[in-house]
Amino acid sequence: MDKFIVLLGYMLILCIVSAVGAYLPQIRKLDDRQTHFLIALSAGIFLGLLFVMLVPEAYELSVEHEGHSFEMVSYLLLAGFLLMALIDVLIKHFHMASCPCECHQDDHKHEITSLSAFIGLSVHAICDGLALAAAIIGGDEIGFVALVGMCIHKFVVLFSLSSSLLLTDKDARGRWLYLVAFILISPIAAIVFFLFFSGFDVHDVAGLPMAFAAGTFMFVTFSNMLPEAFHRKDHELASFIIVVIGVCISVATILLVGAVGGHSH
């Protein structure tokens, strides 16, 4: 029961940090150029998270802790990527069918990007909840370190998702419905997994779901965020520089958390 109370306190902190990350891009109206530069920064952050934290973490948990093969992890990465590709195709098919005109191509593309990002990141958020529940079950020290890392991670992800929603035709209320729903996914998942796995060693079952989630995140990064970052041809070089800055921010954050806690987990 004590650990469950700690979990609830951690979830409250995580929600507050996530809400701040979601709020910041919404408080100032940006023009098209500024918004795409913000997406470029977000794409760089996603890229750093993918290659420095998510994929290595999926392999480490699955292979070193759970004894699965590298091939199994790779298959699940591919499965997550293909699932998101299928979802993306279906979204495009039904979205375009409802409005076949060509005069709103940008609006359609922006809407699709945000929906795909929301769906893919939601799968990853569920795995985040699993990881945090496992850390809290593992002990107070590892639970606190995991909370710090998760708060930084969630701030970055919510900032990025909130930025991408600015490109859609949704009003403020519509954007916040998406953001609030996403903010609550990891805390709810953490509570559910904590109650379900409190009698098990959660690290025995966390790696493969994390690999699948990394595959969905990979599709969002390469097929949605990066193309959107270079959507405007007149400032591709500036967008590339901003993407690199985003990667540096992401890597520096991960290294900082690793230095404080001894490990990125």
Side-chain angles (χ1 to χ4, degrees), residues 18-28 30 35 38-39 42 46 114 117-118 121 154-168 172 175-176 178-180 182-183 225:
S18 299
V20 172
Y23 177 70
L24 289 180
Q26 306 286 330
I27 60 178
R28 180 173 179 266
L30 303 177
T35 302
L38 194 58
I39 291 297
S42 302
F46 278 22
S114 295
F118 178 82
L121 291 173
K154 284 299 179 184
F155 180 89
V156 168
V157 170
L158 263 300
F159 186 90
S160 302
L161 181 61
S162 180
S163 301
S164 71
L165 288 173
L166 289 174
L167 292 173
T168 70
R175 293 195 299 266
W176 275 107
Y178 273 96
L179 293 171
V180 170
F182 184 78
I183 288 171
M225 300 304 294

Side-chain angles (χ1 to χ4, degrees), residues 2-19:
D2 290 340
K3 285 190 176 182
F4 184 70
I5 294 174
V6 171
L7 174 66
L8 294 179
Y10 282 5
M11 294 307 97
L12 178 60
I13 295 172
L14 189 63
C15 286
I16 293 173
V17 172
S18 299

Side-chain angles (χ1 to χ4, degrees), residues 20-89:
V20 172
Y23 177 70
L24 289 180
Q26 306 286 330
I27 60 178
R28 180 173 179 266
K29 182 67 175 178
L30 303 177
D31 60 29
D32 181 80
R33 183 171 180 271
Q34 291 172 325
T35 302
H36 279 86
F37 281 162
L38 194 58
I39 291 297
L41 181 66
S42 302
I45 292 171
F46 278 22
L47 201 60
L49 288 173
L50 177 66
F51 280 106
V52 181
M53 187 181 75
L54 300 183
V55 172
E57 186 170 321
Y59 275 99
E60 181 176 345
L61 281 174
S62 300
V63 177
E64 295 184 14
H65 291 274
E66 301 169 16
H68 299 293
S69 66
F70 280 95
E71 290 79 6
M72 176 64 72
V73 181
S74 298
Y75 289 145
L76 283 170
L77 280 168
L78 179 60
F81 189 96
L82 291 177
L83 175 63
M84 277 308 305
L86 174 62
I87 292 173
D88 191 70
V89 169

